[in-house]
Amino acid sequence: MMTSIDSIAKIYHQSLPDLLFEAQKTHREHHDPRAIQMCTLGNIKTGACPEDCGYCSQSVHHQTDLQPEPLMEIQAVVTEAKMAKAAGSTRFCMGAAWREVRDGAPFDRVLEMVRQVAALELEVCCTLGMLKPHQAKQLKEAGLTAYNHNLDTSPSYYSKVITTRTYQDRLETIRNVSEAGISVCCGGILGMGESTQDRLDFLEALCSLDPVPESIPINCLIPIPGTPLENAPPVDPIDLVRVIATTRILFPKSMVRLTAGRTQMSDELQALCFMAGANSIFTGSILLTAPNPERSHDEALLDRLGMIPKPL
């Protein structure tokens, strides 16, 4: 889907009532406006990542309090997935702090995790770093539903956040995932010091993907002590709503996931994001290594709003 930067800017900069009306109209044409997909993201291998992503506590380049942990055992991950399903999640995501997937015993273990989680009748997603074509094919054969590989920000701002992996590297992995027949989950992070233009350029980059992502996580930076972005100012709430609404209009059929940073958001802001077209959240007290609202809070919020968990 090719969309010009001028048309994206025109959508984004219209009055907020008009933007929300357009986003809500688009949302209702393709989704149940009451339904929110509940997802769970588990960290199956923690820390010691060789990448230097400026936002991440798991990088070996940053002095954070995080203690590295080895790749989890299969049964422990399956137990987490069963608990997530029992709590209402219909998608279980597994993240490993790797720069790239390497063939061998650890990847074989991940493939078995995918098989066993898929057998629970859950959507299964992984985020494991860069991926070669044959590895994407193996994940597809194991039953993987989706692969997360974010663009993070605009092409021009990217090098100010990450220097150990190029934008082109990310696009190549996304292409490998698509060609293997796996759904692409690809989004970004707001609040890393980027400009409004960077956010629009990021959305243009998403529009250039073919096929467009089935899943688009919109994260707000959680500043972590010891990382280069620990003092980054928070995202303006209205700017967040504008990005969510513009994303919904540009990607009518995609799941727009309100992801990291929800502990910093009021219930009212989250409700406004849902009205703008966000229709998925990650639930559970931890999101990889960062704090996240408790499931009980999410359940209470949806109940107050008259909204429901989306069934599988």
Side-chain angles (χ1 to χ4, degrees):
M1 178 181 73
M2 296 302 295
T3 305
S4 73
I5 193 66
D6 289 342
S7 63
I8 295 171
K10 186 176 180 181
I11 293 169
Y12 180 91
H13 287 297
Q14 63 187 310
S15 74
L16 191 64
D18 288 339
L19 177 59
L20 287 176
F21 180 78
E22 185 178 353
Q24 184 65 204
K25 183 173 180 292
T26 302
H27 189 60
R28 287 171 176 268
E29 288 174 355
H30 298 277
H31 305 273
D32 181 346
R34 303 170 303 152
I36 298 292
Q37 185 182 28
M38 313 290 272
C39 307
T40 297
L41 175 58
N43 202 3
I44 62 172
K45 186 268 177 186
T46 304
C49 181
E51 302 279 23
D52 67 353
C53 306
Y55 50 79
C56 188
S57 64
Q58 302 198 67
S59 170
V60 295
H61 299 268
H62 311 325
Q63 300 300 314
T64 67
D65 294 333
L66 188 75
Q67 296 300 313
E69 296 178 10
L71 183 64
M72 290 176 63
E73 295 299 327
I74 295 168
Q75 193 52 53
V77 173
V78 173
T79 297
E80 281 193 13
K82 288 178 178 177
M83 293 171 61
K85 182 178 180 178
S89 290
T90 57
R91 177 176 285 210
F92 186 75
C93 305
M94 295 176 278
W98 289 336
R99 168 179 163 77
E100 60 194 341
V101 172
R102 297 183 184 277
D103 296 325
F107 183 46
D108 291 342
R109 191 188 304 179
V110 172
L111 291 172
E112 185 58 27
M113 292 175 190
V114 171
R115 293 185 192 99
Q116 295 200 27
V117 173
L120 300 176
E121 298 185 336
L122 285 165
E123 294 180 5
V124 193
C125 181
C126 282
T127 179
L128 312 169
M130 293 185 290
L131 202 63
K132 294 181 176 66
H134 73 277
Q135 295 163 338
K137 185 176 180 181
Q138 287 177 280
L139 285 165
K140 172 67 174 178
E141 291 170 349
L144 193 71
T145 306
Y147 194 84
N148 169 257
H149 203 65
N150 291 335
L151 291 179
D152 285 349
T153 187
S154 70
S156 61
Y157 194 73
Y158 180 84
S159 62
K160 296 178 175 64
V161 180
I162 302 161
T163 66
T164 51
R165 188 193 315 185
T166 68
Y167 215 74
Q168 189 58 44
D169 287 334
R170 290 184 181 265
L171 292 172
E172 186 174 335
T173 287
I174 291 166
R175 184 171 60 253
N176 292 339
V177 169
S178 292
E179 290 179 352
I182 300 169
S183 292
V184 171
C185 175
C186 183
I189 305 171
L190 308 182
M192 300 190 295
E194 75 285 349
S195 65
T196 297
Q197 187 60 50
D198 285 315
R199 293 171 186 172
L200 300 180
D201 290 344
F202 154 71
L203 291 174
E204 183 187 34
L206 284 184
C207 288
S208 71
L209 300 178
D210 184 19
V212 297
E214 163 269 340
S215 166
I216 304 174
I218 301 297
N219 298 272
C220 287
L221 177 74
I222 300 174
I224 297 170
T227 63
L229 292 171
E230 63 179 327
N231 295 315
V235 178
D236 178 84
I238 299 303
D239 289 347
L240 169 62
V241 173
R242 284 188 175 277
V243 170
I244 293 284
T246 304
T247 303
R248 170 50 67 215
I249 294 163
L250 293 172
F251 303 94
K253 297 180 181 180
S254 300
M255 299 297 294
V256 178
R257 305 188 190 277
L258 185 62
T259 318
R262 289 198 301 116
T263 53
Q264 302 156 267
M265 301 176 194
S266 67
D267 287 352
E268 293 80 7
L269 175 55
Q270 292 185 66
L272 197 54
C273 289
F274 298 152
M275 290 179 64
N279 58 346
S280 176
I281 57 175
F282 284 82
T283 188
S285 59
I286 298 293
L287 192 68
L288 288 181
T289 63
N292 197 54
E294 296 284 349
R295 284 192 176 89
S296 57
H297 182 273
D298 289 334
E299 290 168 357
L301 174 59
L302 293 186
D303 187 59
R304 288 170 62 203
L305 298 176
M307 301 181 78
I308 57 172
K310 182 180 182 292
L312 186 65

